[in-house]
Amino acid sequence: VEAAVSAGIDLSGFDSKVPAEERILWARGRGLSVGAVYTRYSTPRQRSTRDQVRACVEFAAAKKVFVPPEFICIDEGKSGRKSRRKGLQRMLAILREQALDVFLTFMLSRLFRKAHQCYRFVDEEVVERGIRAICVADNIDTNDKGGWKLLVSIKGAMDEAQVETTAEQVRNAQVGLFHEGFVTGALPVGFRRRIVPEARLTNRGLPRAVPEVDPDAAKLIRQHMEWIAEGMPIIEGWRRWVAANGPCDPRATGGRMALESYRRLISNEKLIGIWKFGQKRSTWSSKRDYTRQIPQPEASIKVARYEHLRIVDDELFFRVQERLRQGTRGRHKVRRKEGRPVVVWDLVTDIYHCPDCQHRFQQRGEDGQSMACANDECKRRGMVRRREAFRAVAAKLEELLSHDQELLDQCAKSAIARDGKGDEECRAQIAEEQRQIEKLGRKIDLLVEIASENTAGNREEEKAKIRLAKQERAGHQMRLAQLMACEQADRKVLTVEEVRAVLAEFRSLLERTGSGEAGPEVVYKAAEAFRALTDGRIMVHFDPRLGRKRTVARGVFVPALLKTVQQKLGLRPAMDGLTASSVEVWLRKPPQLDAMAEQVRQMYEVEKLGFREIGDRLGCGSGNACLAYRRAYEMRGLPLPERRTNLGRPRKAG
Ligand SMILES: [Zn+2]
């Protein structure tokens, strides 16, 4: 109304309360044109929505154009890069559906960032429909028949160039800030901002900040990294993080960390003090009409190392990366009733293997309490109870671990071996790992370059390739960190107590979890120890018992005690061929007779005892002793030898 008055328009009969159609009719009756206004406002520096609208409406009134408030479309906080803007969508609908005479906007750059898009919009959406377009501040009016096309093109190109220069300036300024150690973006969990009062203020007049380690979050992260490295599944770690109300990104939905963010958290290089800038760069895709985040080649990424921002050591970090790389190892098949606590034999089913078809075992039977070969076509079928099998193998391991003198000797030997040729070998391995890491770095660069050049096609596939190469490199980085740690540890002298403590820890882990009552921290740790000590593979043989229906189950594995202990102590595994021989255990308790058969045979044939004597010693009676002796041959499929003449105790009188 104010603008109309100052433009000398007669407002008699105008009623702002009636519907838009009636007001438009009134305007047409007065010989006025009808117009629409579009404004966009994205940063505080640009002229705000109010200013833009006022300028447009005043300009319209001066040109005898009536703009009903219903025809004003506004985008706020929207970047000009995105064409999916609600206000713009509404504007398009009005242009298409309403009888308009004039379209007004404050500046051409309000429409789009790119010149060709501005031109296309004005030409196709406005002028083609017979509507006049006016850009108030740019002095563009399509009623100016010849000149407007050129003006729109030039103006648009100039705006575009300015936007790009500004973007480059912003980026350069950020690189500078990054090198000075200032915060240039959102900080990940584990870090917080520390204000530097003496630094110059930001463009928005806010104080600058540097990142620092958040001690509480860092403590929690270290705990979780330990858990994951020791064998806790990622999903369980994440559940605990959420349950403990662990910190999360303030932008996270629902105020809790997502599983994917948890994964990102524990694989973030910032945890070991590596900060990168410019890993991705926004690039405008004209064809697709939006910006894409293009990963940049490693050479152009700015890297800084800040020891004071380290949260975990390299060795632990890369051990966790290795776990992430290995994935779930088929453990996702674990079926567990809701609320039932996790027990150690739930976590090691995949260690058992079928000797016939080499398939691993899977939960079977009632409630998944047993396990069998996962191959449905396998001829050699049989089932063992998982709990029984675990206990049998664990008992054997405990027994082996208590023969510690031998292990002590071996560990001492490998500790000594490091002084001489060990050092050279270690350095050679370090060089080899470094070579592999560099090689993979070049491969990643190449993949990134290919991905950034591909404007169409399947980007998921390329992303997967890059991820895979990065994971492979993480494996080498872990081994490098371990080797470096070994080289450092060379000067350390290993004590007998240290080895004993490790052996005792393994024994107690197996003992405590065998009962099924240990807490989850111990369970995951024990499962990892079990896996390591059995070298991750137990062959399960089902042997038929001659003349019996049920089979017996035998577990055969090569214990890797020395390797496991060495690893635990941070020693480089001995390279000389210390191949342990395989051991056998009954995975299913054999029938009494079978169990004592071998012992009875020994007593009878080697110790030359009589069955009565044997029966007394074993407390089973002479009849059973005799049967057990026969069974010893039956089990091996051998004929019973000639009965020897009685050398035993004479019959009792009477
Ligand atoms: Zn099989």
Side-chain angles (χ1 to χ4, degrees):
V1 168
E2 269 171 39
V5 169
S6 59
I9 296 168
D10 176 12
L11 280 173
S12 57
F14 178 75
D15 184 356
S16 62
K17 304 273 190 312
V18 300
E21 299 92 71
E22 286 179 37
R23 274 177 279 137
I24 290 167
L25 272 176
W26 170 89
R28 296 231 185 268
R30 291 281 153 142
L32 299 175
S33 314
V34 175
V37 166
Y38 172 72
T39 72
R40 180 173 62 82
Y41 169 74
S42 60
T43 74
R45 280 198 188 167
Q46 291 169 357
R47 298 190 64 171
S48 68
T49 302
R50 279 181 87 83
D51 293 342
Q52 289 182 36
V53 171
R54 180 181 293 114
C56 288
V57 170
E58 279 173 359
F59 192 88
K63 300 269 178 188
K64 306 274 186 270
V65 178
F66 168 59
V67 180
E70 288 84 353
F71 288 0
I72 298 176
C73 301
I74 293 164
D75 278 313
E76 275 190 323
K78 287 278 164 9
S79 154
R81 289 173 298 177
K82 295 176 186 139
S83 51
R84 302 180 196 94
R85 288 171 268 166
K86 272 191 182 156
L88 191 68
Q89 296 303 326
R90 187 166 175 270
M91 189 73 250
L92 277 168
I94 291 172
L95 285 167
R96 279 164 197 160
E97 287 155 24
Q98 303 290 332
L100 278 187
D101 306 307
V102 186
F103 165 78
L104 293 112
T105 190
F106 183 66
M107 275 169 90
L108 203 55
S109 64
R110 300 300 82 208
L111 287 172
F112 293 97
R113 268 190 177 188
K114 294 281 162 172
H116 71 272
Q117 283 180 304
C118 293
Y119 180 84
R120 205 173 69 193
F121 182 88
V122 173
D123 195 34
E124 292 176 8
E125 302 292 349
V126 185
V127 178
E128 285 265 298
R129 294 202 161 86
I131 301 168
R132 173 185 177 190
I134 294 174
C135 298
V136 177
D138 295 331
N139 238 334
I140 293 170
D141 185 339
T142 56
N143 262 11
D144 164 21
K145 284 282 179 253
W148 78 265
K149 287 190 178 181
L150 187 63
L151 258 176
V152 166
S153 299
I154 292 171
K155 196 68 203 153
M158 278 167 64
D159 286 345
E160 186 179 326
Q162 205 210 325
V163 163
E164 261 161 28
T165 317
T166 311
E168 199 54 37
Q169 276 166 359
V170 167
R171 194 184 139 86
N172 283 340
Q174 282 198 318
V175 170
L177 288 171
F178 172 76
H179 281 304
E180 287 169 47
F182 287 112
V183 175
T184 54
L187 284 176
V189 171
F191 302 93
R192 61 185 185 194
R193 308 165 70 91
R194 185 168 60 79
I195 302 295
V196 188
E198 59 274 19
R200 67 195 146 86
L201 301 181
T202 66
N203 286 345
R204 292 192 198 172
L206 300 172
R208 293 233 181 258
V210 290
E212 69 174 5
V213 172
D214 176 346
D216 292 337
K219 202 174 144 207
L220 195 61
I221 290 171
R222 272 193 290 270
Q223 169 72 78
H224 275 257
M225 296 291 273
E226 293 277 357
W227 277 338
I228 302 291
E230 277 165 3
M232 185 181 286
I234 316 295
I235 190 146
E236 175 64 24
W238 168 68
R239 276 193 204 114
R240 280 163 186 242
W241 186 278
V242 172
N245 260 328
C248 67
D249 192 309
R251 293 164 296 183
T253 45
R256 56 172 229 173
M257 185 174 281
L259 177 59
E260 217 18 63
S261 314
Y262 182 74
R263 218 174 240 286
R264 261 203 307 278
L265 168 69
I266 58 174
S267 56
N268 193 337
E269 283 178 316
K270 290 193 172 81
L271 296 182
I272 50 171
I274 298 180
W275 290 63
K276 288 182 178 169
F277 180 83
Q279 297 194 74
K280 284 182 179 162
R281 198 167 182 161
S282 303
T283 306
W284 172 261
S285 161
S286 308
K287 198 174 158 195
R288 295 172 158 213
D289 225 23
Y290 63 79
T291 46
R292 296 192 302 161
Q293 293 278 309
I294 305 286
Q296 296 295 298
E298 302 226 330
S300 76
I301 297 171
K302 309 271 179 284
V303 182
R305 281 169 190 272
Y306 299 123
E307 263 320 299
H308 69 284
L309 293 179
R310 181 188 280 280
I311 292 181
V312 297
D313 62 36
D314 279 13
E315 210 263 339
L316 177 59
F317 179 79
F318 288 115
R319 232 167 25 171
V320 169
Q321 305 322 302
E322 181 68 7
R323 281 210 67 86
L324 289 169
R325 192 175 71 87
Q326 285 166 351
T328 52
R329 280 194 200 142
R331 281 184 212 159
H332 55 283
K333 294 249 162 89
V334 173
R335 273 184 287 161
R336 189 148 44 92
K337 268 193 186 157
E338 201 60 39
R340 201 186 85 190
V342 61
V343 283
V344 67
W345 45 91
D346 282 340
L347 305 172
V348 293
T349 308
D350 61 304
I351 293 178
Y352 301 92
H353 282 76
C354 171
D356 278 358
C357 62
Q358 305 298 321
H359 265 265
R360 55 180 172 69
F361 272 42
Q362 221 175 38
Q363 290 193 14
R364 286 287 157 86
E366 186 197 348
D367 208 10
Q369 296 287 333
S370 300
M371 59 182 172
C373 175
N375 179 7
D376 290 329
E377 267 112 63
C378 183
K379 286 181 212 80
R380 189 73 75 85
R381 302 315 300 256
M383 281 214 281
V384 257
R385 292 181 78 76
R386 294 187 293 119
R387 177 193 179 124
E388 232 174 289
F390 174 82
R391 285 184 170 178
V393 176
K396 188 76 192 174
L397 288 172
E398 281 173 44
E399 186 196 316
L400 292 169
L401 283 167
S402 39
H403 296 149
D404 57 356
Q405 195 49 53
E406 201 181 330
L407 277 169
L408 282 173
D409 292 347
Q410 300 280 24
C411 282
K413 231 194 261 168
S414 72
I416 294 160
R418 291 176 312 180
D419 297 338
K421 78 173 204 310
D423 265 0
E424 232 166 79
E425 212 176 271
C426 189
R427 272 195 293 274
Q429 282 181 42
I430 287 177
E432 173 59 19
E433 294 297 344
Q434 281 168 337
R435 210 176 59 81
Q436 290 293 337
I437 291 165
E438 270 172 39
K439 199 173 127 193
L440 283 162
R442 285 195 297 274
K443 183 178 171 184
I444 292 165
D445 266 356
L446 186 69
L447 287 170
V448 164
E449 208 177 306
I450 293 168
S452 63
E453 277 168 8
N454 182 6
T455 48
N458 194 351
R459 288 175 52 79
E460 284 312 307
E461 200 178 304
E462 284 161 356
K463 275 190 203 157
K465 271 187 196 161
I466 295 171
R467 203 161 43 231
L468 215 69
K470 279 191 173 164
Q471 284 171 347
E472 197 184 329
R473 184 172 60 176
H476 288 291
Q477 278 165 332
M478 178 195 70
R479 279 189 289 282
L480 179 64
Q482 276 174 348
L483 286 165
M484 300 278 246
C486 280
E487 212 190 17
Q488 298 268 306
D490 271 358
R491 280 131 209 97
K492 193 184 81 180
V493 179
L494 201 63
T495 65
V496 176
E497 282 69 37
E498 277 178 300
V499 182
R500 284 233 164 91
V502 170
L503 295 175
E505 195 195 328
F506 280 141
R507 274 205 304 273
S508 110
L509 267 177
L510 294 170
E511 238 169 75
R512 277 153 74 200
T513 46
S515 64
E517 279 150 22
E521 285 90 11
V522 186
V523 166
Y524 291 115
K525 226 168 158 172
E528 268 326 276
F530 186 80
R531 191 178 291 276
L533 290 168
T534 57
D535 217 6
R537 212 169 168 84
I538 300 170
M539 293 312 219
V540 184
H541 296 264
F542 293 105
D543 301 327
R545 293 176 62 209
L546 230 93
R548 305 287 200 281
K549 234 182 178 174
R550 260 192 103 188
T551 55
V552 291
R554 237 174 351 115
V556 181
F557 64 95
V558 182
L561 306 193
L562 183 60
K563 197 168 97 185
T564 312
V565 172
Q566 282 171 333
Q567 224 154 45
K568 180 86 185 170
L569 286 167
L571 298 177
R572 202 160 40 84
M575 291 296 149
D576 39 340
L578 281 165
T579 42
S581 50
S582 64
V583 296
E584 279 193 24
V585 283
W586 296 111
L587 295 181
R588 187 193 292 144
K589 233 184 188 170
Q592 190 82 48
L593 215 56
D594 290 29
M596 55 190 255
E598 187 51 32
Q599 198 183 358
V600 170
R601 195 189 63 79
Q602 286 264 333
M603 289 168 108
Y604 187 77
E605 289 179 0
V606 182
E607 295 177 46
K608 306 283 185 205
L609 298 174
F611 287 128
R612 221 163 310 141
E613 181 70 33
I614 297 170
D616 283 355
R617 284 198 192 183
L618 298 177
C620 63
S622 62
N624 282 331
C626 184
L627 282 173
Y629 178 68
R630 286 160 169 273
R631 181 76 192 133
Y633 282 90
E634 198 183 29
M635 276 163 71
R636 299 157 151 208
L638 297 173
L640 202 66
E642 289 276 306
R643 281 290 288 271
R644 67 162 200 247
T645 51
N646 193 2
L647 298 168
R649 213 166 58 182
R651 267 170 207 278
K652 271 184 206 152

